[in-house]
Amino acid sequence: MHELLKTVYDDVINGDRPAVEAGVRAAMEAGQPVGSILSEALIGAMKEVGERFERQDFYVPEMLVAARAMQAGLTILKPHLVQAGVPAAGKVVIGTVKGDLHDIGKSLVGMMMEGAGFEVIDLGTDVGPEKFGEAVRTHKPQLVGLSALLTTTMQNMKATLEALEDLGVRDQVKVMVGGAPVTDVFAKEIGADGYAPDASRAVTLAKSLL
Ligand code: B1M
């Protein structure tokens, strides 16, 4: 990994938000590709944070400050990930399901989809099934994207699909799912239209579903 990316990687792990912001800017100015800053430095560091949490070297507060530092870096990268002026490829309502506060992966998927020309309506985190249903009625998207990071909350993806059925809007949208514990098999089991393991494949999937 390039030295500048390694610095950002370490600063995310240490939760040093100002240093991450400065480091991302320095890496961009030095001509490091935006994709490498994102995948090697920012996403790579969050992976390490998760591993440390599993080993109990890190606890929730460390995980939280690291996430905030990463988000600050993402905010700087966003305009470069999202190319302006691309005609809307379709409309997507996206959110993290009920009970789940994990934000970063879902936001990244939203950003990449914006970059690919989708109009993205981000409902945020802890989004209940009914709220997804209402958003489909209000915004009339072609796609709904559900994100879950916890094995406990991924069950709420099924509840969301059921709510869309109950509200009579399920056949108006394609539903795609993703997040660390989610698999292709699970997506099929709950009757989703597709699963993507990461943000760039989420864009490919979204295009293929339309
Ligand atoms: Co949480 N957490 N967390 N956490 N956290 C995990 C998920 C965990 C795996 C950590 C671990 O044990 N190793 C574990 C879950 C275990 C399990 O369920 N099996 C866990 C836990 C246990 C918890 C708490 C319960 C901890 C506690 O309180 N005791 C708690 C739950 C709170 C809640 O949600 N109700 C909790 C809290 C938190 C923080 C608030 C501290 C913080 C989140 C801050 C925030 O998001 N604003 C946090 C963090 C940061 C993590 C880890 C370290 C990193 C998550 C992340 O941002 N990754 C995480 C460990 C890990 O995942 N390795 C962990 C980076 C991000 C880019 O990746 O989100 O996977 P990811 O998104 C990817 C893909 O999954 C995919 O594309 C993205 C980009 O490539 N993707 C989609 C995601 N959504 C998609 C949707 C799609 C398609 C693709 O289509 C629509």
Side-chain angles (χ1 to χ4, degrees):
M1 195 191 308
H2 189 279
E3 201 186 317
L4 287 169
L5 301 188
K6 179 73 173 80
T7 305
V8 174
Y9 179 99
D10 290 337
D11 291 335
V12 169
I13 292 173
N14 294 330
D16 189 340
R17 186 179 169 149
V20 171
E21 288 171 337
V24 167
R25 287 200 178 94
M28 281 168 56
E29 276 160 24
Q32 285 298 308
V34 174
S36 307
I37 303 174
L38 177 64
S39 60
E40 291 179 44
L42 298 179
I43 296 182
M46 287 315 289
K47 193 163 169 274
E48 170 70 28
V49 169
E51 285 161 9
R52 290 190 188 194
F53 182 76
E54 262 167 48
R55 295 197 303 265
Q56 299 191 335
D57 287 341
F58 265 17
Y59 295 94
V60 174
E62 286 99 334
M63 209 153 76
L64 191 58
V65 286
R68 287 196 183 130
M70 186 206 175
Q71 269 168 335
L74 263 186
T75 305
I76 294 169
L77 283 186
K78 184 176 175 184
H80 304 272
L81 292 169
V82 178
Q83 299 142 16
V86 185
K91 201 189 276 188
V92 57
V93 160
I94 193 167
T96 305
V97 296
K98 188 171 176 147
D100 199 321
L101 301 174
H102 294 87
D103 195 28
I104 298 174
K106 177 267 304 160
S107 301
L108 197 51
V109 170
M111 281 180 203
M112 296 293 275
M113 291 189 74
E114 269 187 72
F118 284 87
E119 182 184 346
V120 177
I121 294 141
D122 189 338
L123 302 180
T125 60
D126 190 19
V127 182
E130 305 72 27
K131 195 166 172 200
F132 276 109
E134 279 162 27
V136 170
R137 283 200 168 149
T138 313
H139 300 289
K140 303 197 177 6
Q142 290 85 28
L143 284 168
V144 172
L146 308 178
S147 180
L149 264 284
L150 299 170
T151 43
T152 46
T153 58
M154 62 195 267
Q155 304 308 327
N156 292 332
M157 291 179 153
K158 188 165 185 279
T160 305
L161 282 158
E162 286 165 359
L164 297 181
E165 285 280 358
D166 292 347
L167 289 165
V169 295
R170 175 67 183 93
D171 55 356
Q172 294 169 21
V173 288
K174 298 282 185 197
V175 178
M176 50 190 277
V177 295
V182 180
T183 62
D184 201 22
V185 173
F186 177 77
K188 289 198 173 89
E189 252 170 43
I190 62 169
D193 298 299
Y195 155 78
D198 57 43
S200 73
R201 276 175 282 187
V203 171
T204 313
L205 172 66
K207 287 181 176 164
S208 76
L209 287 174
L210 291 182

